[in-house]
Amino acid sequence: MTQQPLVDFWFEFASTYSYPAAARIGRLAQARGVALRWRPFLLGPVFKQNGWTTSPFNLYPVKGRYMWRDLERICGALDLPFAEPPQFPQNTILPARVALIAFDEGWGETFTNAIYRAQFGDKKNIGDQETVASVIRALGRDADDVMGRAQADDNKLRLRQQTDEAIAHGIFGAPSFVTADGELFWGNDRLDDALDWARAR
Amino acid sequence: MTQQPLVDFWFEFASTYSYPAAARIGRLAQARGVALRWRPFLLGPVFKQNGWTTSPFNLYPVKGRYMWRDLERICGALDLPFAEPPQFPQNTILPARVALIAFDEGWGETFTNAIYRAQFGDKKNIGDQETVASVIRALGRDADDVMGRAQADDNKLRLRQQTDEAIAHGIFGAPSFVTADGELFWGNDRLDDALDWARAR
């Protein structure tokens, strides 16, 4: 009996290139018979280690301008709605905490894509409690109940531990993909390579 | 009569991802009927604007380690020789100046690929005059004559102007590709997209 190949998909809700990656990865993994673990984490602590207090796309505006144009092209090719949000980067702690709960209960992928779309398609601020609540409600869930559990101490700790685990894997940006044999791939551009690597082993 | 589509290929000899891009671009452009202008430039002045005194791959070692592994995978898939050179980044002023002459005379692509291969395939230091001379000689050229003209004031100025032009285009890294309508694409991963963009217009 061979085991199904597995890829950990590490994403951060503030990461622009994680938006197209999250939209594509489910279908592409399924087509290859690769199992996925969706691993939300926070880039803030990673960036802090580099001495960055905000996104490198803000610290280096020339690169930032390019990124928004590049993202627009990528979303255009995928027919994904795109609009540069007024706030960037946004505070993603709440949606990341909710995502942990959502993946436990089987609605994580839908929630994740809806949060990305709210931010990078509909210019919403996903740091606002009401934005997150309305995404949860649109999925037919009880927003107060879910957010209450998301903000409980054990779940907060879980997100911190998951972020520590990302750093321990050598992850320095998002999206990142880690195969069962520990191979790291960084960026939406490496999604197919990561899945192919997992399948070939 | 329609004009042949044109792409400017901006590269820096110290740029790791420019190595596979330079190796691939000639064939890929020809297959699409896209004309190329090879534009060597220096990243040093660009990085200085960001406050960087060396490559970001050295400033952020976690990212650097990933880059070398990623480059090894990319070169492996292309059957390009790869070995991490002992010095990084190297002083690339001399080979960049020679490249300007070489492209004038029609042997630029061969020279460029040979320099990249010496550095990232054979672990040579392309900042050494003797390394550059031996590459030139291997192409059947008079190294003293070529390097003399490369180091002349007018050619030095040309490289500085070309670097200024890169910055004016919003170029912040290498390889970069700019189409005739001014669209910028950054990175070996965007090579195909840039050529397709040029052809579609």
Side-chain angles (χ1 to χ4, degrees):
Chain A
M1 210 181 96
T2 50
Q3 243 183 328
Q4 191 185 17
L6 176 70
V7 166
D8 276 4
F9 169 41
W10 293 90
F11 63 97
E12 143 74 86
F13 282 113
S15 154
T16 52
Y17 288 107
S18 295
Y19 171 38
R24 298 191 301 136
I25 196 168
R27 186 177 43 80
L28 294 174
Q30 195 172 26
R32 288 172 175 85
V34 172
L36 284 180
R37 283 196 301 196
W38 294 62
R39 313 289 302 266
F41 76 113
L42 299 179
L43 271 175
V46 180
F47 285 177
K48 215 169 274 176
Q49 293 188 330
N50 291 345
W52 300 338
T53 51
T54 180
S55 164
F57 293 126
N58 290 348
L59 292 172
Y60 307 110
V62 173
K63 195 167 179 176
R65 273 194 296 283
Y66 170 78
M67 178 277 292
W68 288 113
R69 174 64 179 145
D70 191 43
L71 189 66
E72 183 178 29
R73 289 190 305 236
I74 290 169
C75 291
L78 295 171
D79 269 327
L80 271 182
F82 168 76
E84 186 181 334
Q87 300 99 334
F88 177 80
Q90 300 185 0
N91 184 335
T92 57
I93 293 182
L94 177 60
R97 287 174 179 162
V98 170
L100 289 177
I101 306 277
F103 281 104
D104 285 346
E105 299 177 353
W107 51 286
E109 183 171 353
T110 319
F111 172 77
T112 297
N113 284 310
I115 287 288
Y116 275 122
R117 172 150 181 183
Q119 182 183 201
F120 296 122
D122 303 329
K123 300 169 96 163
K124 297 270 176 62
N125 187 340
I126 60 166
D128 286 349
Q129 207 154 318
E130 187 40 41
T131 304
V132 177
S134 73
V135 167
I136 297 171
R137 278 194 295 269
L139 302 177
R141 306 272 161 177
D142 180 335
D144 289 341
D145 167 62
V146 169
M147 295 206 297
R149 287 184 291 132
Q151 303 279 42
D153 282 345
D154 61 331
N155 195 58
K156 290 180 176 178
L157 178 64
R158 221 170 130 199
L159 183 61
R160 278 199 298 277
Q161 287 172 335
Q162 186 131 291
T163 298
D164 290 342
E165 198 184 328
I167 293 171
H169 276 305
I171 288 172
F172 54 87
S176 289
F177 314 93
V178 180
T179 61
D181 60 338
E183 193 75 14
L184 170 65
F185 295 84
W186 170 54
N188 179 50
D189 296 318
R190 291 289 175 282
L191 173 63
D192 290 279
D193 291 340
L195 297 174
D196 288 341
W197 184 280
R199 195 176 47 169
R201 253 120 207 121
Chain B
M1 207 183 95
T2 50
Q3 244 185 325
Q4 190 184 17
L6 176 70
V7 166
D8 275 4
F9 169 41
W10 292 90
F11 62 98
E12 143 76 86
F13 282 113
S15 152
T16 52
Y17 288 107
S18 295
Y19 172 38
R24 299 191 300 137
I25 195 168
R27 186 176 45 79
L28 295 174
Q30 195 172 25
R32 288 173 175 86
V34 172
L36 285 181
R37 281 196 302 194
W38 294 63
R39 313 290 303 269
F41 76 112
L42 298 178
L43 270 175
V46 182
F47 285 177
K48 214 169 271 174
Q49 294 188 330
N50 292 344
W52 301 337
T53 53
T54 181
S55 164
F57 293 126
N58 290 348
L59 292 172
Y60 308 109
V62 173
K63 197 168 177 174
R65 272 195 295 283
Y66 170 79
M67 178 277 290
W68 289 112
R69 173 64 179 148
D70 191 44
L71 189 66
E72 183 178 28
R73 288 189 306 235
I74 290 170
C75 291
L78 295 171
D79 269 327
L80 271 183
F82 169 77
E84 187 181 334
Q87 301 99 335
F88 179 82
Q90 300 184 1
N91 185 334
T92 58
I93 293 183
L94 176 60
R97 287 174 180 162
V98 171
L100 289 177
I101 306 277
F103 281 103
D104 284 347
E105 300 178 353
W107 50 286
E109 182 171 352
T110 319
F111 172 77
T112 297
N113 284 310
I115 288 288
Y116 276 123
R117 172 149 178 182
Q119 182 182 203
F120 296 123
D122 303 329
K123 302 169 94 164
K124 296 268 174 64
N125 188 340
I126 60 166
D128 286 349
Q129 208 154 316
E130 187 40 41
T131 304
V132 177
S134 73
V135 167
I136 297 171
R137 278 195 294 269
L139 302 177
R141 305 271 160 180
D142 180 334
D144 288 341
D145 167 63
V146 169
M147 294 206 297
R149 288 184 288 131
Q151 303 280 43
D153 282 347
D154 62 330
N155 196 60
K156 290 180 177 177
L157 178 64
R158 220 171 130 200
L159 183 61
R160 278 199 298 277
Q161 288 172 334
Q162 186 131 293
T163 299
D164 290 344
E165 198 186 324
I167 293 171
H169 277 304
I171 287 172
F172 55 86
S176 288
F177 314 93
V178 180
T179 61
D181 60 339
E183 193 76 14
L184 170 64
F185 295 84
W186 171 54
N188 179 50
D189 296 318
R190 292 289 174 282
L191 172 58
D192 290 280
D193 291 340
L195 297 174
D196 288 340
W197 184 280
R199 195 175 50 170
R201 253 125 207 117

